[in-house]
Amino acid sequence: MEQPIGTGTVPGAGPGRTATRRLDAIVREALTARVTLDEHGTVTAWNEGAEKLLGHPAARIVGRPAAELLADPVPAHDLPPFAELPRWNGEVTLRHRDGHRLSIRVIAHHRTPETGAAADVREWLVVSPLAGLDRQPMDDPLVTWSFTQSPCCALALYDTHLRLRRANTDMERSVALTEEEMRGLRVNEIVDNAAGDKAERSMARVLETGEPQYDENFLRAAGETREHAWSVSLSALRDDDGTIRGVCLAAHDMTEQHWARKRLQLIAEAGRRLGRTLDVTRTAQELADMTVPELADFVSVDLLAALDDVLERPPEAVAVDGPLLLRRAAHRSVLPGTPEAVVAPGEVDVYPQGSAPVESLRSGRAMLHKVTDPAISEWIALDPLRAARVREFGIRSVMTVPLSARGTTLGVAVFARHRHPELFGEDDLVLAEELAARAAVSIDNARRYARERATAVTLQRSLLPQRLPEQVAVEVASRYLPAGAHAGVGGDWFDVVPLSGARVALVVGDVVGHGLHASATMGRMRTAVRTLADMDLPPDELLTHLDDLVSRLAGEDEGARRTGWAPDTSGGVGATCLYAVYDPVSRRCCLARAGHPVPAVAAPDGTVEILDLPAGPPLGLGGLPFEAVELELAEGSLLALYTDGLIESRERDVDVGLRRLCQALGRPAPSLDTLCDAVLADLLPQRPVDDVALLLARTRALDASRVATWEVPADASAVAQTRKDAVAQLETWGLGDAAFITELVVSELVTNAIRHAEPPIQLRLIHDNTLICEVTDSSNTAPHLRRARTYDEGGRGLLLVAQLTQRWGTRQGGKGKTIWAEQELGRGPELF
C-alpha cells in the first residue's frame, strides 16, 4: 500500500512552510529507467533509474552505442523502421553489468526537434518502469475507490508518486498501449508531449491541495493521423479516513465537439473578416489568410480573367469546353514565401479542360481529390513545374471549390494539404463550401462596387473639363482626386468659364453624396453654371438661380423615388458652390459662396490669407440671400479654390487644414502644376476619404495701353467720329486688317444705343487675344435678333454683327447694360 497523504497536506510540511511540493520529489524519478539516444543510437543521457536497472553508471554508458547493452545482437534487416515511427514499444532483452540477462518492457518516444534546433536533429526517449509495481488483486481498495468515485470514461489510476497503477480499456485504446506496458510509468513518460507534462503538474496540485483539477489536452495516439481533444478531470482518491491514496485521471474524448466548435469559430470569423473592404483582391486574400493553417496548408484563389474589365458584366455561364483563363487573386501557405505556388498574384494561367479547378467551375460543385485522381494526376502531368511542386512538398489531398454568387460564377478556390496529417474529409468540404460562398458574395459585392465606381469616375471625368479653356485673365492649374474605395466617387467639380470683356469665371462646387447619382447631379449643376455664366450674371445672382435649380432637382428626385424610378438617396440633393469673376482690366475680383469653404489668396510677396467671405446657405435650402464681395488683386496674386475634402479630415481640425494649406501655398514652386501636386501631397493621406477638387489661378493684368475708351454723345452725328476714333486706335495697335469689320460693328452698336437706349453711352475697345468691342448705355432693355422682311429698312444690324464676329452678347450692369462683340484677330472680312 502506498504511503498515505493527508487531506490537502504534504507529509513532512512543518509550520509556516508552503504546501507546494517539488514535482520531482513526488514522482521519484529514479523509479523509471530513462535513457535518451540520438539518431545514430548513441546514448546521450542515463538517469539513476537506468543505473539501478542495469548496474552501469552514467559516466560509463553516455557516448557509447546502446546496442552494446543488448543481450543478443540483432541483424539490421530484422530491426523495425525506427526512423519512420513516432513511438515503439515492446520487450527487449538486455545484459546487466554483472552479466545476467534482463527482459524488460520498453516504450521509446521519437522526439521532434525543439524550436531553434536543426531540422534533422531528433532523439529517442526510452523509458522502462523498475520492478515492484505488480498488478494488485481486484479487491485492492484502490480499485474499489476508483470505481465508486470516478465517472465512466477513459480512466487511469496513479499512486502518490504519480506512477500508473491501473488503466481501463478506453484509456488503453486512447494511448495505444496496454496497462501492462504503462504500469509504473509517469504520465509524461506514457505521453511524451506538452499534454503529458501539463497533466502531471495538475496531478501534483491534486496531491498538494486535494482539490480537483480540470484540463483540456490535445493528443495524437501512435499510429493515428488525427489529433484528439480530451477533457481531463483529475481528482484525489481518499480512503475512509480522508487520506489521499492516489489520483484518478478521467478523460472524455471531445474531438467531435472540439472540431465542430472550431468550424463554427471559423465561420464566425469569416463573417467578421470577409468583405471588410470593397476590394476584390483583398477579399480574396482574406479568404486565403483565414483558412491557412486552420483548414489547409496551401490555398489559392483564382478569378475568371473575363472579370478583369469591371465595366463589363461577368459572363452568365462558363464556357462548356476548352481551357479557361484564370487570374491569381490571392494565395497563402504555411511556409514562408508560399513556395508551393506556380502562379504569382496578378498573373493569368491557362487551366486545361478536365483539370480539377475547371471541372469544379463548370459543374458548380465542390470536389475532393487525392493527388492520384485523374483530375489531378493528368492535370499536373501537363505542367512539369506544377508536378514538381506536388512532389517536392508532398501534397496529398486537394479540394476545389467554385466561387459563385447571385447565379454568377466568379472563380475557384483550391485547398491543399501536405503537412496536415489527415486527408480532407466531407466535413472539411462542407466548411470550405460555406467559407467560399461567403467570400464569393463579398467578392461579387466588391466587383459591383468597383463597376459602379469606375462608371461614376468615368462619368465624372467626362463631365469635368477635359482641358481648361484658353484665356488671358488668369493662369490656371487644377486637380481632381476621387475618394478612396470605401467612400466612392463624390460630386466635387470645378470649371473655368471665359466671359465677355476678357473676364473669367472660376467655380468650384461639391454635391452631397457619392456614386452615380452624385456624379450625374454634378454634371447637371456644371451645365447650369455654364449657362448662367454665359448670361453674365453677377456671382450672388448666379448662386440664387443655382439654388432654385437644386431645389427643383430635389423635388424631382423625391417624386421619382416615390414612383420607383430613382434609387433612394438619403439626404436628398444638396450642394455647395463658390463662384468668382475676375476682370484683368480693373484687377477686380467678385466672389460669392453658398456654404462652400472660403478661398485662399497668396500675394506676390508670398503672404497668404483666407478671404473673409459671407458664408451663404448651401444650395437647395431656397429663399435665402447670397452676398457677393469685391476686392482688388495685385497682378500675380494666387487664388486657391477647393472643396472640403482638401482641408477636412478625421485626424485633424479644419483650422489645422487651413493653416497647412496656407503654408503650402506660401512655398515657392516652379509652376502651378507643381504647386497643385505639392498641396495635395502636404494635405492629403494616401487614401483620402472624400473627393478633392483644387483650382489654382494666378491673376494677370491687362496693360492700359491695350484698352481704349470713348464717351459717345447721344447724337447720330457722333457715329462717324466714333468710327474714325476706333479705326485710328486699331492702326495704333497694328490691327489695320480688322478695321473694316470693326467699323461696321462700332457703327451698328453705337447707332442702336443712340436710337434705342439712354445716355450716357460709352465705347470700349479691348485688345486681347481677340478684339472686343463694347458699347455701354443706361438702358436695361436687351436687344435681340429678328428676321427682317424683304422691304424693311432696318432690323438687319445685329444679324450682320453676329455674322461678322466670333461671338456677341449682352450683360446687365448695376446701371444699364453692355452689348459686346468679339472678333478673331488675323481673320479678314467675310461678307459673302
Side-chain angles (χ1 to χ4, degrees), residues 544-604:
T544 301
H545 285 283
L546 200 58
D547 182 49
D548 293 339
L549 171 66
V550 174
S551 298
R552 288 197 301 273
L553 291 178
E556 292 173 2
D557 284 357
E558 180 63 27
R561 284 194 297 273
R562 289 175 181 173
T563 57
W565 284 95
D568 183 18
T569 52
S570 56
V573 178
T576 64
C577 185
L578 172 64
Y579 186 80
V581 175
Y582 175 69
D583 186 348
V585 177
S586 63
R587 293 187 289 105
R588 306 288 296 179
C589 184
C590 185
L591 308 96
R593 66 187 181 116
H596 201 81
V598 289
V601 174

Side-chain angles (χ1 to χ4, degrees), residues 405-698:
R406 303 179 180 97
T408 300
T409 300
L410 303 171
V412 62
V414 178
F415 303 82
R417 282 180 176 175
H418 53 79
R419 282 196 166 186
H420 198 286
E422 294 183 40
L423 302 179
F424 287 119
E426 290 296 331
D427 289 342
D428 298 317
L429 189 65
V430 171
L431 176 60
E433 285 184 290
E434 175 66 23
L435 297 176
R438 290 172 178 256
V441 171
S442 297
I443 290 173
D444 190 51
N445 288 340
R447 283 201 74 262
R448 288 168 179 258
Y449 171 78
R451 182 168 62 247
E452 179 177 339
R453 186 173 188 274
T455 303
V457 169
T458 303
L459 173 62
Q460 188 167 39
R461 292 196 182 278
S462 68
L463 295 175
L464 288 173
Q466 302 303 303
R467 66 180 190 80
L468 298 177
E470 295 182 4
Q471 38 74 45
V472 295
V474 291
E475 176 192 359
V476 291
S478 63
R479 292 292 184 275
Y480 169 72
L481 191 64
H486 290 289
V489 178
D492 293 18
W493 59 283
F494 63 90
D495 208 348
V496 176
V497 185
L499 302 177
S500 62
R503 298 170 306 136
V504 66
L506 307 172
V507 56
V508 170
D510 186 359
V511 176
V512 173
H514 295 86
L516 284 173
H517 183 265
S519 296
T521 303
M522 178 273 289
R524 299 165 79 177
M525 286 191 60
R526 177 171 177 255
T527 302
V529 168
R530 275 191 161 270
T531 301
L532 296 172
D534 283 343
M535 296 171 62
D536 267 321
L537 296 178
D540 52 346
E541 188 174 343
L542 182 142
L543 292 181
T544 301
H545 285 283
L546 200 58
D547 182 49
D548 293 339
L549 171 66
V550 174
S551 298
R552 288 197 301 273
L553 291 178
E556 292 173 2
D557 284 357
E558 180 63 27
R561 284 194 297 273
R562 289 175 181 173
T563 57
W565 284 95
D568 183 18
T569 52
S570 56
V573 178
T576 64
C577 185
L578 172 64
Y579 186 80
V581 175
Y582 175 69
D583 186 348
V585 177
S586 63
R587 293 187 289 105
R588 306 288 296 179
C589 184
C590 185
L591 308 96
R593 66 187 181 116
H596 201 81
V598 289
V601 174
D605 61 1
T607 59
V608 183
E609 65 172 327
I610 302 297
L611 295 182
D612 184 14
L613 295 183
L619 300 173
L621 297 183
L624 297 175
F626 299 94
E627 185 177 350
V629 172
E630 187 171 306
L631 64 153
E632 184 174 331
L633 298 176
E635 183 178 4
S637 297
L638 181 66
L639 191 62
L641 285 67
Y642 52 88
T643 54
D644 57 0
L646 183 66
I647 58 171
E648 294 182 4
S649 170
R650 297 190 184 101
E651 289 77 25
R652 64 169 184 258
D653 294 334
V654 175
D655 292 340
V656 176
L658 287 173
R659 184 164 61 251
R660 291 179 60 179
L661 173 63
C662 292
Q663 293 171 351
L665 292 175
R667 300 189 189 103
S671 67
L672 287 187
D673 282 317
T674 303
L675 184 57
C676 277
D677 294 333
V679 169
L680 295 182
D682 286 350
L683 273 75
L684 295 181
Q686 185 175 3
R687 290 178 174 267
V689 298
D690 195 7
D691 284 23
V692 174
L694 174 63
L695 181 63
L696 298 182
R698 192 181 303 280

Side-chain angles (χ1 to χ4, degrees), residues 185-345:
L185 294 178
R186 298 158 56 185
V187 64
N188 66 351
E189 294 170 340
I190 299 170
V191 180
D192 184 42
N193 59 20
D197 294 332
K198 181 179 179 182
E200 189 171 77
R201 288 193 297 269
S202 297
M203 293 166 70
R205 283 194 294 271
V206 172
L207 289 179
E208 293 169 358
T209 66
E211 298 294 329
Q213 302 291 319
Y214 304 95
D215 290 329
E216 187 173 279
N217 293 326
F218 301 93
L219 176 65
R220 181 183 299 115
E224 287 192 347
T225 60
R226 189 181 189 189
E227 190 175 60
H228 288 255
W230 296 93
S231 176
V232 180
S233 300
L234 299 162
S235 57
L237 298 177
R238 295 176 170 88
D239 60 15
D240 295 337
D241 298 329
T243 302
I244 297 177
R245 295 289 185 172
V247 178
C248 173
L249 185 153
H252 296 263
D253 191 348
M254 308 293 291
T255 304
E256 294 305 323
Q257 296 90 325
H258 169 73
W259 287 112
R261 186 167 65 248
K262 292 282 286 184
R263 293 187 186 97
L264 289 175
Q265 289 174 347
L266 198 57
I267 292 173
E269 185 182 3
R272 291 191 301 269
R273 292 179 59 181
L274 290 177
R276 292 179 300 177
T277 63
L278 289 171
D279 183 276
V280 172
T281 302
R282 292 184 64 180
T283 301
Q285 189 62 54
E286 287 166 358
L287 173 62
D289 291 344
M290 68 176 299
T291 51
V292 174
E294 284 76 8
L295 180 61
D297 298 322
F298 172 75
V299 174
S300 65
V301 181
D302 297 312
L303 301 179
L304 290 170
L307 303 178
D308 289 351
D309 188 353
V310 296
L311 292 178
E312 293 291 335
R313 292 191 176 275
E316 296 184 359
V318 180
V320 295
D321 56 12
L324 290 179
L325 296 179
L326 297 177
R327 185 180 297 278
R328 176 62 50 86
H331 55 216
R332 180 68 184 270
S333 170
V334 294
L335 303 176
T338 319
E340 306 98 321
V342 297
V343 181

Side-chain angles (χ1 to χ4, degrees), residues 28-203:
R28 296 185 184 178
E29 184 179 344
L31 293 178
T32 303
R34 295 171 62 96
V35 179
T36 59
L37 312 176
D38 64 17
E39 285 289 276
H40 304 290
T42 302
V43 178
T44 58
W46 185 271
N47 78 337
E48 182 183 350
E51 182 176 351
K52 288 181 179 181
L53 181 66
L54 296 178
H56 298 285
R60 182 174 180 179
I61 293 298
V62 173
R64 299 178 63 181
E68 295 180 359
L69 298 173
L70 294 174
D72 301 306
V74 180
H77 58 80
D78 290 338
L79 291 174
F82 290 111
E84 302 175 5
L85 298 176
R87 189 184 73 190
W88 181 86
N89 59 280
E91 286 195 4
V92 295
T93 302
L94 304 178
R95 191 172 298 281
H96 194 274
R97 182 180 181 183
D98 60 13
H100 75 275
R101 298 162 64 94
L102 288 175
S103 292
I104 61 174
R105 291 179 287 110
V106 169
I107 299 177
H109 299 281
H110 203 174
R111 287 180 162 178
T112 56
E114 297 182 358
T115 302
D120 58 347
V121 177
R122 298 171 68 109
E123 66 178 8
W124 285 88
L125 170 66
V126 183
V127 296
S128 177
L130 300 186
L133 289 178
D134 296 329
R135 179 172 178 172
Q136 301 287 336
M138 289 301 296
D139 59 352
D140 187 339
L142 188 63
V143 177
T144 303
W145 299 327
S146 71
F147 281 100
T148 59
Q149 300 180 33
S150 297
C152 182
C153 53
L155 290 175
L157 307 180
Y158 291 81
D159 60 24
T160 53
H161 298 303
L162 303 186
R163 302 285 169 164
L164 186 136
R165 297 290 296 273
R166 295 299 305 273
N168 69 354
T169 303
D170 286 342
M171 181 60 72
E172 290 177 327
R173 186 183 303 112
S174 68
V175 295
L177 292 171
T178 66
E179 179 185 274
E180 292 295 328
E181 293 168 328
M182 294 186 287
R183 187 178 300 114
L185 294 178
R186 298 158 56 185
V187 64
N188 66 351
E189 294 170 340
I190 299 170
V191 180
D192 184 42
N193 59 20
D197 294 332
K198 181 179 179 182
E200 189 171 77
R201 288 193 297 269
S202 297
M203 293 166 70

Side-chain angles (χ1 to χ4, degrees), residues 699-742:
T699 63
R700 296 168 176 157
L702 199 61
D703 192 87
S705 63
R706 288 180 169 265
V707 181
T709 306
W710 297 271
E711 299 295 330
V712 180
D715 188 344
S717 61
V719 175
Q721 183 60 43
T722 304
R723 286 199 303 265
K724 292 180 182 179
D725 294 338
V727 171
Q729 184 62 52
L730 293 182
E731 294 295 339
T732 303
W733 286 337
L735 303 177
D737 291 343
F740 181 73
I741 294 179
T742 305

Side-chain angles (χ1 to χ4, degrees), residues 731-812:
E731 294 295 339
T732 303
W733 286 337
L735 303 177
D737 291 343
F740 181 73
I741 294 179
T742 305
E743 277 192 278
L744 291 176
V745 172
V746 169
S747 179
E748 178 59 32
L749 298 184
V750 171
T751 299
N752 281 348
I754 293 174
R755 288 182 178 179
H756 306 292
E758 299 176 3
I761 300 172
Q762 184 186 78
L763 169 66
R764 184 170 71 162
L765 296 180
I766 301 174
H767 177 202
D768 191 4
N769 289 340
T770 59
L771 180 62
I772 303 170
C773 176
E774 297 182 343
V775 175
T776 303
D777 58 54
S778 299
S779 172
N780 290 319
T781 303
H784 60 277
L785 287 174
R786 66 184 181 89
R787 181 178 295 278
R789 295 182 178 87
T790 304
Y791 298 104
D792 286 350
E793 295 181 1
R796 298 178 179 84
L798 283 181
L799 179 61
L800 188 61
V801 170
Q803 293 298 316
L804 293 178
T805 60
Q806 184 179 1
R807 59 189 186 124
W808 74 280
T810 179
R811 66 175 182 268
Q812 298 292 329

